[in-house]
Structure formats: C-alpha cells, structure tokens
Amino acid sequence: QAILALFPPSASLVQVRSAAAVMGGHSRFFHPNWFSRYVWGTIAGINLFGFCADQSVGIDRAKNPDVLWPWWHEIMRKKEKGEIPMNMPGYMLVKFNNEAEQKYIEQRGEEFSDFMGAMEEE
C-alpha cells in the first residue's frame, strides 16, 4: 500500500512492479548480489573477529625464526664449530622421525654413526 501511495491512483500493480525493476529494486530473497555480500562478508567477518581476538590478547603475528626455532640454531652452531658434519641431514639429529626418515637413517646410518647422539650431549 505504501508503494501505491507514490503512484497516481490510475497506476496498476504491474506498472508499479516494473517501475521498481527499472529503479534497480528486486523482490527476491537471493538478490543479484547475495553471494558477494553474504558469503564473502561472512568470511571477512570471521577473519576480522580472529584478528581482533589476537590483538586483544597480545598475540604477535610476526614470524621470527630466532625465537621460534632455538633447537635448529643450536644444530647450526654445532655444524659451524665442526662438532657435526655439514652434510649430515637434520632429521638424523632430532628425537622423533617418521617412517621415511627412519628408512633413510637405516640406509645412511653408518656414514654418520659417530654423530648420531650429538644433540643429547650437553
């Protein structure tokens, strides 16, 4: 009824609907821009919420390898000093190995057998 008030009394409902379509209106729930508005908007909202949550509790988003990988730097210092051969793979020095690494350790183990426990000495 409110839309009909904008038009003269002689205008029919078909003319009112066509006028709304000409002006860019629509009467559907899934309007032409629903995907970009609601799907991408939801994803952006989730990311924004996560960022605000990180900021509120002080989580540092910077990746600093000097802080996050101290055990790897310890291995590199031992290689630089000559305590461990430079060509010795890092997976032979860590505590846990997956199946593929265990297979390679069995194949090349005698080559580096003198240095296998180098990280446990302290």
Side-chain angles (χ1 to χ4, degrees):
Q1 294 295 333
I3 293 176
L4 288 175
L6 299 174
F7 293 94
S10 62
S12 68
L13 190 57
V14 175
Q15 289 172 332
V16 171
R17 283 189 182 155
S18 64
V22 168
M23 292 188 288
H26 50 79
S27 60
R28 295 175 291 175
F29 179 71
F30 290 109
H31 52 82
N33 296 330
W34 72 271
F35 185 85
S36 59
R37 180 175 295 169
Y38 298 115
V39 174
W40 296 127
T42 301
I43 292 170
I46 291 169
N47 282 323
L48 181 62
F49 180 78
F51 177 77
C52 292
D54 288 350
Q55 294 295 310
S56 68
V57 294
I59 293 176
D60 186 16
R61 298 169 74 90
K63 304 290 188 249
N64 188 351
D66 295 331
V67 174
L68 299 176
W69 298 89
W71 59 273
W72 186 255
H73 287 283
E74 184 181 346
I75 291 173
M76 293 298 108
R77 298 302 80 81
K78 287 190 177 210
K79 284 187 174 188
E80 288 170 357
K81 291 178 187 174
E83 297 174 17
I84 302 171
M86 285 299 257
N87 62 347
M88 183 175 186
Y91 62 82
M92 290 189 175
L93 298 168
V94 296
K95 290 182 182 179
F96 303 102
N97 303 102
N98 60 28
E99 292 175 8
E101 291 169 346
Q102 289 172 357
K103 182 180 77 172
Y104 291 124
I105 289 172
E106 289 173 11
Q107 291 174 356
R108 299 181 64 192
E110 62 267 349
E111 184 181 348
F112 300 107
S113 60
D114 297 339
F115 307 100
M116 291 294 277
M119 295 310 295
E120 285 135 21
E121 306 167 354
E122 287 299 324

